[in-house]
Amino acid sequence: MADSCTDQSMCHAEEESGAPEEALFSLADMFLFSLIVGLVTYFFFFRKKKEETIEFTKIQPPMNTSGRESSFVEKMKKTGKNIVVFYGSQTGTGEEFSNRLAKDAHRYGMRGMSADPEEYEMADLSRLSEIENALAVFCMATYGEGDPTDNAQDFYDWLQETDTDLSGVKFAVFGLGNKTYEHFNAMGKYVDKRLEELGGERIYELGMGDDDGNLEEDFITWREQFWPAVCEHFGVEATGEDSSIRQYELVVHTDENMNKVYTGEMGRLKSYETQKPPFDAKNPFLANVSVNRKLNQGGERHLMHLELDITNSKIRYESGDHVAVYPSNESSLVNKFGEILGADLDTVISLNNLDEESNKKHPFPCPTTYRTALTYYLDITNPPRTNVLYELAQYATDSKDQDHLRKMASSAAEGKALYLSWVVESRRNILAILEDVPSLRPPLDHLCELLPRLQARYYSIASSSKVHSNSVHICAVLVEYETKTGRKNKGVATNWLKNKQPCDNGHKSTVPMYVRKSQFRLPFKPATPIIMVGPGTGIAPFVGFIQEREWLKQQGKDVGETVLYYGCRHEHEDYLYKEELARFHKEGVLTQLNVAFSRDQEKKVYVQHLLKKNKEHVWKLISEDNAHIYICGDARNMARDVQNIFYEIVAEYGKMEHAQAVDYIKKLMTKGRYSQDVWS
């Protein structure tokens, strides 16, 4: 603003240059005086503000701080790499696959590096052909409703906007998705198609992993065809080196200052002791648990409502957003590692990357203890992937055990079937494998190197910030089941949350958390009607939606019809938020409350049956009143069945063929009038 005012003053001075001499001097004096005052004001106020803003942004580390090389091409040249494997990963699997492909490269006389697109200048792809026999591979996961993962968002935006010529760039893509979702593998498909449009040369077909099936098998099947295609394209041969290569070296600290040892922090050391905003995935906020109550009145399951206190955190959220929490593993499971492997879990260690040029110096925050790593940083409860079995096989002293582990890690049909039945379907985690393969006793540091990171868990926020500005509410169901081997497996996060009582032995229970923005949003105009379909814990975001509609009504706003379709097993067992919903309905905020109790009668009744029953009213809301539709809950069955009912309603009342009805719903999705927040 100051600059433009100065320009305008100069223009006015020039326009009046024909005035008498005295007036000119007085004008010049006035002009000079104004200019000096303006500059002084600018210096003390505007410039100061600008400096303060710069200081503030330093809190969030920019993309390439700490002397990191922002050009992956330069880095590849410097380190002698010719394969770069980029990953778009939300839960760590894409990153894991990327690391495995980069590691594979040495078997073919090539050198690979795994890379996070968020850390590099992706426009440098056009320079990749400067490196001989160079190849870019992309392991891209799709998140939510066909969206890129957080770390691939900038890359996705760049691909959409760029017209960079990628001729001469060789590429291949493996997508990670889930067939139960509407936009299966949308990100993998888009990257594969767009790179070709920009002139890139695909050297092997797009791979599409399905997490609803067997993602690991899909990846192995693609990979075993991918590498021969690479060899053929570049005229190289496999070296036959199948030996295990360590990526990190163990350093044991005997005299480490314990103030410099990580105790569970995700990023900055001591960040849980001195909390500094902004809070995100690398800097979660430690929220006190103010409420933890059981929601269901009976039955075998445990459904819970928690409230996390975010007072003074500066965390803002909107109805429909997700809260991410970082759980920890049960101490009884962690202790078993020490017992089985005969290790002192309180040993302070660092695992340092043998590739000094790598941006990833450690697999998790170091230095730390084995106990901390196994409690806060490593996933010890999910069945391990085949590469972990392959790497561990060398430590089995019984040759039969070695063969058994290697067989499951092979790409042979028999090996894949064995892995599926013995590991995946039996839900054997790493502890179960160590128990069932008694000759397998790997060094704990190598095991820690191989295990994937323990990931944050996302929950739809069950509150509105208009009503609860200082708290975030969670609705969750405890996960517990018996495996085929007779073991009792527990969900890491839900069991951990269940035990987070507001006051635990005089101490406040805390939860490391941050908020992730969502596209699941109430209509801009409160007068727009909404149809919400959310059985079970799918009710969560709708509690927030209804709270917000009540608040809007209290502000004197004209609020449209608010219709809920909710479902549970039994009215007197697991009807969540029963009293709250009854009050909302009684007070007219909830204009329609339709509840399906699936097991209270001989024939099961689900939400889709109630939608069908009210189809005429549903069609009126959609076609005449421009209602917005929201679906939350199970993607595999419920969301699909509900969508089919909407197709039927549209076809019947809109007098359309099935294909036209499908197209009609797709258009609603495009316009943001049909939104889903679903999981499988």
Side-chain angles (χ1 to χ4, degrees):
M1 283 296 289
D3 287 345
S4 60
C5 288
T6 308
D7 289 341
Q8 282 171 13
S9 304
M10 288 170 77
C11 289
H12 288 309
E14 284 165 10
E15 281 165 15
E16 292 182 25
S17 61
E21 201 171 353
E22 281 176 24
L24 177 65
F25 277 109
S26 62
L27 274 171
D29 290 345
M30 283 168 67
F31 167 67
L32 284 169
F33 180 74
S34 303
L35 185 62
I36 290 162
V37 169
L39 286 169
V40 169
T41 307
Y42 171 77
F43 187 85
F44 280 100
F45 293 94
F46 291 90
R47 186 170 170 198
K48 194 175 179 193
K49 278 184 185 174
K50 198 174 177 187
E51 284 173 0
E52 284 170 1
T53 308
I54 291 166
E55 280 305 307
F56 178 74
T57 56
K58 279 183 184 170
I59 294 169
Q60 305 174 60
M63 237 161 59
N64 301 296
T65 53
S66 66
R68 282 182 180 173
E69 178 67 71
S70 69
S71 166
F72 67 86
V73 171
E74 290 306 320
K75 188 163 190 175
M76 288 170 77
K77 286 177 179 177
K78 200 189 291 181
T79 55
K81 307 275 178 23
N82 57 349
I83 293 182
V84 58
V85 191
F86 290 104
Y87 59 85
S89 185
Q90 198 70 29
T91 61
T93 311
E95 181 178 1
E96 205 183 311
F97 286 178
S98 164
N99 286 332
R100 285 163 69 177
L101 288 171
K103 211 171 174 181
D104 280 345
H106 83 278
R107 293 178 189 155
Y108 303 93
M110 303 173 98
R111 291 193 67 196
M113 68 178 244
S114 175
D116 182 344
E118 200 171 32
E119 293 182 351
Y120 294 100
E121 188 54 66
M122 294 306 287
D124 259 15
L125 269 175
S126 60
R127 295 180 51 211
L128 191 63
S129 53
E130 291 173 14
I131 297 167
E132 193 183 353
N133 285 358
L135 170 66
V137 186
F138 297 83
C139 290
M140 308 306 292
T142 298
Y143 183 74
E145 294 305 299
D147 303 317
T149 57
D150 291 349
N151 78 310
Q153 183 67 55
D154 290 345
F155 172 48
Y156 175 72
D157 294 343
W158 175 76
L159 278 178
Q160 285 193 304
E161 294 158 12
T162 192
D163 55 1
T164 305
D165 181 10
L166 297 184
S167 357
V169 174
K170 317 287 170 69
F171 75 89
V173 180
F174 182 81
L176 296 83
N178 187 311
K179 273 203 174 124
T180 60
Y181 288 77
E182 176 79 17
H183 306 280
F184 173 60
N185 257 315
M187 190 58 182
K189 290 173 185 172
Y190 175 74
V191 171
D192 184 68
K193 173 174 147 282
R194 188 71 183 124
L195 291 174
E196 186 179 47
E197 285 172 357
L198 292 169
E201 182 187 348
R202 182 187 299 103
I203 67 153
Y204 189 61
E205 67 192 41
L206 167 69
M208 288 200 280
D210 176 20
D211 201 25
D212 188 48
N214 186 343
L215 186 60
E216 176 72 10
E217 187 176 317
D218 295 337
F219 175 66
I220 289 172
T221 305
W222 179 83
R223 178 176 156 228
E224 71 190 35
Q225 298 298 319
F226 163 73
W227 281 115
V230 171
C231 289
E232 190 180 337
H233 186 89
F234 292 115
V236 294
E237 284 181 28
T239 58
E241 283 181 45
D242 256 10
S243 59
S244 164
I245 291 180
R246 288 289 299 263
Q247 197 177 342
Y248 298 92
E249 67 173 346
L250 170 69
V251 175
V252 176
H253 305 280
T254 47
D255 54 352
E256 188 69 29
N257 176 352
M258 291 312 281
N259 282 327
K260 292 180 179 174
V261 174
Y262 282 87
T263 55
E265 305 94 327
M266 291 299 143
R268 180 173 55 86
L269 188 67
K270 304 292 176 197
S271 61
Y272 289 160
E273 289 176 28
T274 52
Q275 294 256 275
K276 294 176 188 172
F279 297 105
D280 54 26
K282 288 176 182 153
N283 182 36
F285 176 67
L286 220 48
N288 287 327
V289 177
S290 54
V291 173
N292 185 349
R293 63 185 169 93
K294 189 177 178 184
L295 283 171
N296 51 319
Q297 298 79 39
E300 293 173 6
R301 298 185 304 160
H302 181 98
L303 294 122
M304 55 197 150
H305 170 89
L306 286 94
E307 297 183 13
L308 309 181
D309 187 350
I310 56 169
T311 308
N312 299 326
S313 67
K314 295 187 178 168
I315 288 173
R316 300 282 174 265
Y317 73 93
E318 290 182 63
S319 304
D321 281 344
H322 298 137
V323 57
V325 301
Y326 282 106
S328 53
N329 291 308
E330 257 184 46
S331 56
S332 59
L333 295 179
V334 171
N335 290 334
K336 276 189 184 175
F337 281 94
E339 291 160 19
I340 292 173
L341 299 177
D344 176 3
L345 299 183
D346 296 309
T347 305
V348 180
I349 60 141
S350 286
L351 286 177
N352 299 335
N353 202 321
L354 291 161
D355 178 0
E356 289 176 7
E357 294 292 330
S358 174
N359 283 1
K360 193 175 181 179
K361 302 300 177 195
H362 316 281
F364 43 77
C366 290
T368 190
T369 64
Y370 283 124
R371 187 181 305 283
T372 298
L374 293 164
T375 304
Y376 300 104
Y377 299 141
L378 298 170
D379 183 345
I380 60 174
T381 59
N382 268 315
R385 300 202 182 276
T386 56
N387 65 307
V388 176
L389 302 181
Y390 179 83
E391 298 264 357
L392 292 179
Q394 62 184 306
Y395 298 113
T397 51
D398 185 324
S399 59
K400 283 180 188 165
D401 289 342
Q402 266 197 27
D403 293 344
H404 176 62
L405 293 167
R406 288 210 171 109
K407 188 176 190 178
M408 287 189 288
S410 74
S411 54
E414 200 183 338
K416 287 176 183 174
L418 184 61
Y419 173 75
L420 182 64
S421 64
W422 200 80
V423 177
V424 180
E425 290 170 354
S426 301
R427 299 299 298 168
R428 270 187 177 88
N429 58 32
I430 192 65
L431 271 173
I433 289 169
L434 290 172
E435 286 170 349
D436 293 348
V437 185
S439 88
L440 178 62
R441 294 296 176 260
L444 188 50
D445 65 289
H446 197 178
L447 190 61
C448 288
E449 174 181 325
L450 293 169
L451 290 174
R453 282 292 293 267
L454 182 59
Q455 297 294 325
R457 303 307 203 260
Y458 296 92
Y459 296 94
S460 302
I461 296 177
S463 54
S464 163
S465 60
K466 298 285 191 292
V467 182
H468 300 280
S469 58
N470 287 321
S471 65
V472 165
H473 300 184
I474 293 174
C475 170
V477 58
L478 186 72
V479 176
E480 239 175 21
Y481 59 94
E482 192 170 294
T483 70
K484 286 181 177 178
T485 63
R487 293 179 171 93
K488 189 182 232 184
N489 276 10
K490 297 177 180 181
V492 176
T494 54
N495 271 274
W496 172 77
L497 284 172
K498 182 194 171 200
N499 296 319
K500 290 281 177 184
Q501 295 305 320
C503 199
D504 189 11
N505 293 329
H507 296 286
K508 285 183 175 176
S509 286
T510 56
V511 167
M513 53 77 71
Y514 65 96
V515 166
R516 186 181 194 276
K517 294 293 169 196
S518 149
Q519 299 299 315
F520 205 66
R521 287 277 179 267
L522 276 168
F524 181 68
K525 292 178 182 170
T528 304
I530 61 172
I531 301 167
M532 303 169 286
V533 185
T537 55
I539 185 79
F542 302 138
V543 174
F545 279 15
I546 300 163
Q547 284 177 3
E548 190 148 327
R549 301 277 273 196
E550 180 182 47
W551 179 84
L552 287 163
K553 213 168 186 181
Q554 288 165 357
Q555 306 304 304
K557 296 277 195 292
D558 176 21
V559 176
E561 277 200 60
T562 304
V563 177
L564 176 67
Y565 286 86
Y566 170 65
C568 61
R569 294 177 184 179
H570 303 282
E571 182 176 4
H572 302 295
E573 270 188 19
D574 55 352
Y575 188 163
L576 307 183
Y577 302 104
K578 186 178 182 178
E579 290 79 16
E580 291 94 322
L581 293 175
R583 181 182 70 77
F584 286 134
H585 190 222
K586 188 183 172 187
E587 291 174 7
V589 179
L590 201 49
T591 46
Q592 255 195 46
L593 174 58
N594 307 283
V595 188
F597 304 110
S598 63
R599 301 180 190 185
D600 273 351
Q601 59 287 310
E602 199 178 323
K603 195 178 178 188
K604 288 185 179 177
V605 176
Y606 295 116
V607 283
Q608 58 266 30
H609 300 130
L610 299 187
L611 276 164
K612 198 169 185 176
K613 195 175 157 188
N614 298 333
K615 55 190 178 179
E616 199 170 340
H617 179 245
V618 169
W619 173 247
K620 180 192 171 293
L621 287 176
I622 299 170
S623 63
E624 293 176 28
D625 303 335
N626 292 317
H628 283 221
I629 300 161
Y630 301 91
I631 322 287
C632 183
D634 161 54
R636 190 175 285 111
N637 301 308
M638 183 278 297
R640 194 176 285 169
D641 293 343
V642 165
Q643 199 162 314
N644 286 332
I645 289 296
F646 276 111
Y647 292 155
E648 278 183 36
I649 294 170
V650 170
E652 184 181 342
Y653 287 90
K655 296 184 171 43
M656 301 179 201
E657 294 295 321
H658 178 74
Q660 291 173 301
V662 170
D663 194 45
Y664 184 93
I665 293 293
K666 285 222 164 98
K667 279 184 179 138
L668 290 186
M669 288 177 178
T670 310
K671 290 174 185 169
R673 282 184 54 201
Y674 190 111
S675 306
Q676 299 187 92
D677 181 1
V678 292
W679 55 84
S680 63

